[in-house]
Amino acid sequence: MVSDKKIALLGLDNAGKTSILTAMKKKFDIPKEVKGIKPTLKVERSNFQFLNHIIYLNDFGGQKRYVNEYLSHKTRYLSSIDLLFFVVDIQDKLRFKESYEFLNEILDYFQEIQCNAPVIILFHKSDPKLKNDPSILSNQKEYESLVRPWLEKRSIHFYNTTIYQINTIVHAFSKGIFYLYDQNTALQKLIDEYVEKMDNVMALLIFEQNGIELGSYFLDHITLSMKKKILTLYEISQRRILEENINTYEFSDRLDPFTKISGTIQSFNIEGVKFYILLILEEHDEEIVVNQFNYFENAHDEIQTILRAILLDEFEDELLNPND
């Protein structure tokens, strides 16, 4: 059953909302695309299809006069929201009070109308060079302390994002989208069951064609830099599949000087939408890698059947355990 959802992207001006949307649309060559972006005027509306759902995205301009307009006419602008992304410029501590006052009014209104929409707070401009900067870490704790009174009242999640690491935006957006649906539970079960059936799995991830992560598994000891390398390998291999019009692509690489890996990506077409599954194995024995890749390739039709059942809201538990 198709259900429509309304997502709101809110925050003060210069927080980076429009650059986040541009980064999602222009996943490659991000820095060039965000230069010279003009502020959003009032509310910019768009929509896209996610799995078998229509998502309506409202990008709210953050200039003071518009913020006052939204808060003066809350019913017109803030009702019927299913998911809220609230963007905070984590580098601009001087505007934290103003930002939180805006957020607090929104949450008060949600409470008043009994709106249980999940809230995703994006600590944006968490750029790589500032990752361990004491002032940025302090800023994050300070903003979290402002929000703390709301944490017992509603679902609020925090994510660090930056346009210079597109995977941070994709990850936060993916998690937010999936707070709306139950399908992520079934997809994660699919991933976990295939990981249990295979050896030396370092990562197994499922993406839909817009780059939204539907589910993932990473080996416990994998570092953040390894995860970033794996996501980069996904983007490279996905482009190769599209450019060469193939369904499967295999590759070898290193995640660090001591960790050699083999990877394979498979594409699936379900109701006109492309999906991708990326498998990363640590190389210990070439024969084991070949056997695992063969098993994964032979499971293509089974995986597609299960994906179709999950994504079209026809999932039944026995599909994951056809031999039970």
Side-chain angles (χ1 to χ4, degrees):
M1 180 180 68
V2 175
S3 60
D4 299 343
K5 299 293 182 180
K6 178 180 176 182
I7 297 177
L9 189 66
L10 284 143
L12 299 182
D13 56 316
N14 296 319
K17 300 184 301 300
T18 304
S19 66
I20 286 174
L21 289 180
T22 301
M24 284 296 296
K25 295 173 183 177
K26 307 286 185 180
K27 292 198 296 176
F28 310 111
D29 199 12
I30 297 302
K32 184 178 77 171
E33 293 293 343
V34 301
K35 288 180 181 177
I37 284 179
K38 297 179 180 179
T40 303
L41 300 178
K42 218 165 189 180
V43 183
E44 189 172 288
R45 296 176 173 86
S46 59
N47 66 78
F48 62 94
Q49 185 168 344
F50 172 71
L51 305 183
N52 55 328
H53 306 277
I54 303 298
I55 304 292
Y56 294 93
L57 182 60
N58 295 306
D59 177 17
F60 289 74
Q63 290 80 8
K64 184 66 176 177
R65 66 184 184 278
Y66 297 143
V67 170
N68 291 337
E69 169 81 4
Y70 309 147
L71 297 180
S72 298
H73 302 89
K74 297 187 183 77
T75 302
R76 182 191 306 170
Y77 292 104
L78 301 178
S79 62
S80 304
I81 289 176
D82 297 296
L83 172 65
L84 169 64
F85 286 97
F86 192 86
V87 184
V88 178
D89 181 349
I90 199 61
Q91 298 183 30
D92 193 357
K93 181 178 179 179
L94 295 178
R95 301 190 74 187
F96 279 7
K97 184 175 183 294
E98 181 185 2
S99 170
Y100 176 68
E101 288 175 351
F102 182 22
L103 174 62
N104 192 59
E105 285 219 42
I106 296 170
L107 297 180
D108 273 337
Y109 177 67
F110 281 1
Q111 188 97 333
E112 177 187 331
I113 64 172
Q114 298 182 331
C115 170
N116 295 317
V119 176
I120 311 295
I121 296 179
L122 303 180
F123 290 141
H124 196 48
K125 304 183 184 179
S126 299
D127 298 342
K129 64 181 180 180
L130 301 175
K131 177 183 175 183
N132 297 313
D133 188 294
S135 64
I136 297 298
L137 296 175
S138 175
N139 287 355
Q140 183 169 320
K141 289 182 179 179
E142 181 175 333
Y143 203 94
E144 287 175 349
S145 69
L146 293 172
V147 179
R148 189 169 295 124
W150 283 104
L151 297 182
E152 295 182 0
K153 301 177 183 179
R154 64 181 311 110
S155 173
I156 299 179
H157 308 269
F158 301 89
Y159 292 93
N160 295 87
T161 57
T162 169
I163 60 168
Y164 298 104
Q165 291 178 331
I166 184 61
N167 62 289
T168 62
I169 296 173
V170 171
H171 179 70
F173 194 75
S174 301
K175 292 298 184 181
I177 292 287
F178 262 90
Y179 288 129
L180 297 175
Y181 303 109
D182 295 329
Q183 288 150 315
N184 61 324
T185 302
L187 285 167
Q188 195 60 50
K189 184 177 180 182
L190 169 64
I191 290 172
D192 293 342
E193 292 209 358
Y194 272 94
V195 168
E196 288 179 8
K197 295 176 183 177
M198 303 177 71
D199 298 319
N200 301 332
V201 178
M202 296 196 73
L204 183 61
L205 303 98
I206 302 178
F207 295 87
E208 61 94 60
Q209 64 186 18
N210 293 319
I212 296 175
E213 179 188 309
L214 305 183
S216 64
Y217 163 84
F218 288 100
L219 194 63
D220 288 341
H221 74 260
I222 283 184
T223 64
L224 182 59
S225 62
M226 287 180 172
K227 288 184 179 181
K228 291 177 181 176
K229 179 65 179 289
I230 288 171
L231 293 171
T232 299
L233 290 171
Y234 162 73
E235 291 191 349
I236 293 171
S237 56
Q238 188 237 20
R239 273 185 284 181
R240 183 67 67 89
I241 279 199
L242 291 174
E243 290 168 357
E244 299 184 9
N245 194 28
I246 53 180
N247 293 321
T248 302
Y249 176 70
E250 297 180 3
F251 57 90
S252 294
D253 210 313
R254 289 185 180 273
L255 298 184
D256 62 27
F258 310 102
T259 310
K260 188 176 182 182
I261 58 98
S262 289
T264 181
I265 183 171
Q266 292 189 19
S267 68
F268 304 83
N269 192 311
I270 299 176
E271 300 296 311
V273 179
K274 274 194 173 294
F275 298 87
Y276 302 90
I277 297 186
L278 176 70
L279 171 68
I280 301 290
L281 302 178
E282 186 170 9
E283 283 193 18
H284 292 302
D285 183 293
E286 184 177 348
E287 184 177 352
I288 291 177
V289 170
V290 171
N291 288 338
Q292 296 302 292
F293 276 7
N294 286 338
Y295 168 77
F296 192 60
E297 185 174 352
N298 291 334
H300 182 280
D301 290 344
E302 179 186 28
I303 293 173
Q304 178 158 322
T305 299
I306 297 171
L307 275 176
R308 179 183 296 275
I310 293 172
L311 301 174
L312 299 183
D313 293 333
E314 299 165 357
F315 174 71
E316 295 180 349
D317 283 337
E318 61 264 29
L319 284 174
L320 287 181
N321 301 283
N323 297 321
D324 288 355

